């Protein structure tokens, strides 16, 4: 094999392209190339794209997903960036009539880039349907609690009784007549607290002591909403 630029035979393997085809590099001039390049611009099969969407929920890093599916790291990163950018940040929940509704709310610690950049995941869960009704990612302050409140569908803001921990931001934002701050021993927030486990088990960016932590806030938020959409859609709501 010769380099197409300088005709050198000092050729080494240099990864692969998005179709999985072997890529080479010339040690003399630095040219990167593939054999028979006319057949390399094949689109990623839809079955592979669907598999990637599932693997994003299986605690795998992007590098691992690339190895499993055979797509290039650059293509995969572009795909994930676009997918997370286009993810709706509204909970896909079943329409409810005005009646007594009950929510459990909690916050979960996470970070982006480094542990000094804390990003709290605020979650509101309907205890009857187990749907994630509202969510927000940001600081752990009153403004963030207000964002969580605004993320709730109107019927919940009008009718729902909310159970939370004693974090003071809830008391400043949630209507006092329908808000109850309770301790863990009551069990009245156990469902939403239990949700922390699948969140950390299914989203690789949230797994503790892992190298696949978020480097971009947008992707951090997108990964969380990808889980929320999948989790709500998988519920049997009748």
């Amino acid at each position: 094999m010769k380099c197409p630029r300088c005709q050198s035979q000092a050729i080494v393997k240099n990864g692969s392209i998005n179709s999985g085809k072997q890529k080479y590099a010339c040690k003399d001039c630095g040219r990167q190339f593939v054999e028979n390049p006319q057949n390399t611009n094949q689109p990623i099969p839809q079955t592979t794209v669907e598999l990637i969407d599932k693997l994003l929920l299986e605690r795998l890093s992007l590098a691992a997903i690339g190895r499993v599916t055979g797509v290039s790291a650059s293509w995969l990163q572009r795909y994930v960036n676009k997918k997370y950018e286009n993810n709706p940040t509204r909970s896909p929940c079943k329409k409810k009539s005005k009646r007594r509704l009950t929510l459990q709310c909690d916050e979960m610690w996470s970070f982006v880039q480094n542990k000094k950049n804390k990003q709290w995941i605020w979650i509101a869960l309907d205890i009857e349907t187990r749907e994630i009704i509202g969510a927000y990612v940001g600081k752990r302050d009153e403004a963030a609690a207000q964002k969580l409140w605004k993320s709730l569908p109107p019927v919940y803001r009008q009718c729902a009784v909310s159970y939370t921990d004693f974090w003071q931001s809830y008391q400043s934002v949630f209507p006092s007549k329908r808000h109850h701050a309770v301790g863990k021993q009551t069990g009245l927030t156990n469902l939403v607290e239990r949700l922390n486990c699948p969140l950390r088990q299914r989203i690789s960016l949230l797994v503790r002591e892992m190298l696949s932590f978020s480097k971009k806030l947008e992707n951090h938020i997108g990964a969380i909403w990808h889980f929320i959409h999948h989790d709500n859609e998988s519920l049997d709501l009748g």
Side-chain angles (χ1 to χ4, degrees):
M1 183 185 300
K2 295 182 180 180
C3 172
R5 176 188 290 166
C6 69
Q7 303 302 308
S8 170
Q9 293 184 338
I11 305 300
V12 294
K13 291 183 178 180
N14 187 39
S16 60
I17 60 175
N18 56 19
S19 65
K21 190 176 181 66
Q22 181 65 56
K23 187 168 65 172
Y24 300 92
C26 176
K27 296 177 68 175
D28 289 336
C29 72
R31 173 69 181 270
Q32 299 181 35
F33 64 96
V34 296
E35 289 187 290
N36 302 317
Q38 65 274 14
N39 296 320
T40 61
N41 293 324
Q42 299 296 322
I44 303 297
Q46 183 61 29
T47 53
T48 300
V49 174
E50 292 172 357
L51 176 60
I52 290 171
D53 289 345
K54 293 179 180 179
L55 293 177
L56 289 171
L57 294 165
E58 295 300 333
R59 201 180 179 181
L60 295 175
S61 66
L62 290 188
I65 293 175
R67 290 193 296 269
V68 170
T69 59
V71 301
S72 70
S74 58
W75 182 91
L76 181 58
Q77 188 65 68
R78 289 194 301 271
Y79 172 76
V80 169
N81 289 349
K82 185 175 180 180
K83 180 178 183 63
Y84 287 166
E85 180 183 348
N86 293 331
N87 255 349
T89 54
R90 277 285 176 182
S91 182
C93 58
K94 185 178 179 181
K95 187 176 181 180
K96 310 294 192 308
S97 59
K98 286 189 176 182
R99 56 184 173 84
R100 181 182 173 86
L101 300 165
T102 306
L103 291 177
Q104 293 182 8
C105 303
D106 196 23
E107 330 86 58
M108 185 177 78
W109 176 84
S110 66
F111 71 94
V112 172
Q113 192 64 250
N114 60 70
K115 291 183 178 180
K116 293 182 180 180
N117 185 14
K118 297 178 181 179
Q119 297 295 328
W120 291 84
I121 304 167
W122 297 69
I123 294 287
L125 184 76
D126 185 313
I127 67 167
E128 180 182 345
T129 65
R130 302 297 196 269
E131 295 170 281
I132 299 173
I133 296 301
Y136 178 71
V137 181
K139 295 182 179 181
R140 198 186 188 202
D141 57 14
E142 184 176 327
Q146 186 69 47
K147 293 285 188 179
L148 175 66
W149 175 253
K150 289 184 177 180
S151 76
L152 302 177
V155 67
Y156 284 89
R157 295 200 298 269
Q158 295 167 10
C159 303
V161 174
S162 303
Y163 292 91
T164 74
D165 57 27
F166 289 98
W167 188 246
Q168 60 186 9
S169 297
Y170 289 115
Q171 301 175 32
S172 303
V173 173
F174 283 47
S176 58
K177 292 183 179 180
R178 292 186 282 116
H179 172 242
H180 301 285
V182 296
K184 293 181 183 294
Q185 72 279 2
T186 65
L188 294 174
T189 56
N190 61 346
L191 293 176
V192 70
E193 290 169 1
R194 193 181 301 156
L195 186 63
N196 292 348
C197 182
L199 275 166
R200 292 201 187 278
Q201 289 294 321
R202 301 292 299 278
I203 305 174
S204 64
L205 300 177
L206 302 181
V207 178
R208 297 180 185 275
E209 306 301 331
M210 286 277 284
L211 294 177
S212 56
F213 59 87
S214 300
K215 298 179 178 64
K216 290 176 58 179
L217 178 59
E218 293 83 358
N219 282 1
H220 192 74
I221 295 172
I224 292 164
W225 277 103
H226 180 52
F227 172 87
I228 291 173
H229 286 282
H230 171 82
D231 192 65
N232 280 4
E233 290 168 3
S234 66
L235 293 171
D236 183 8
L237 300 176

